[in-house]
Amino acid sequence: MQRNLKQRTLLLIAYDMGLCTSRMTHGTDYAVPDKGTAIKECCVSMGIAETEVADKDFVTKLYTAISAAYPKKGDYNGDGEVNIKDATAIQKHIAGLE
């Protein structure tokens, strides 16, 4: 049950991000008929082989795609790293230099 909940949560986030158009429904019914459709749509959006099963490979790729869409905390300049460049950019912004 925990595994299905995690898969459903990832698919809900994927829906919110526009990776699929089939919305997973909330509730306790884990055999939602459009789960397979949502998985297939995510595969197409991510450019990977289509499947209707949320196996480990699919879940890993979906998690990676979702994680990439959200910047790291502290990554002010958006280069994917948190380092001194971010601190400098923040200081310049506060000082009104940028």
Side-chain angles (χ1 to χ4, degrees):
M1 184 167 122
Q2 184 71 14
R3 179 178 171 190
N4 284 336
L5 183 59
K6 289 177 183 178
Q7 291 172 359
R8 289 168 50 85
T9 302
L10 284 175
L11 289 170
L12 282 168
I13 295 169
Y15 173 83
D16 289 340
M17 291 176 59
L19 290 174
C20 64
T21 57
S22 295
R23 180 160 170 59
M24 297 294 298
T25 56
H26 294 284
T28 57
D29 180 15
Y30 292 101
V32 178
D34 56 355
K35 180 178 178 182
T37 303
I39 292 169
K40 284 177 70 173
E41 290 173 352
C42 287
C43 289
V44 171
S45 294
M46 294 185 301
I48 61 175
E50 286 188 36
T51 183
E52 289 186 6
V53 181
D55 60 6
K56 183 178 178 180
D57 185 50
F58 169 78
V59 171
T60 300
K61 289 178 180 175
L62 180 58
Y63 178 78
T64 302
I66 291 170
S67 297
Y70 294 97
K72 292 180 182 178
K73 290 184 179 184
D75 183 16
Y76 186 80
N77 63 4
D79 65 358
E81 298 178 17
V82 178
N83 54 31
I84 192 67
K85 293 177 186 177
D86 298 298
T88 302
I90 291 169
Q91 289 173 332
K92 287 181 178 180
H93 175 76
I94 292 170
L97 301 173
E98 276 190 356

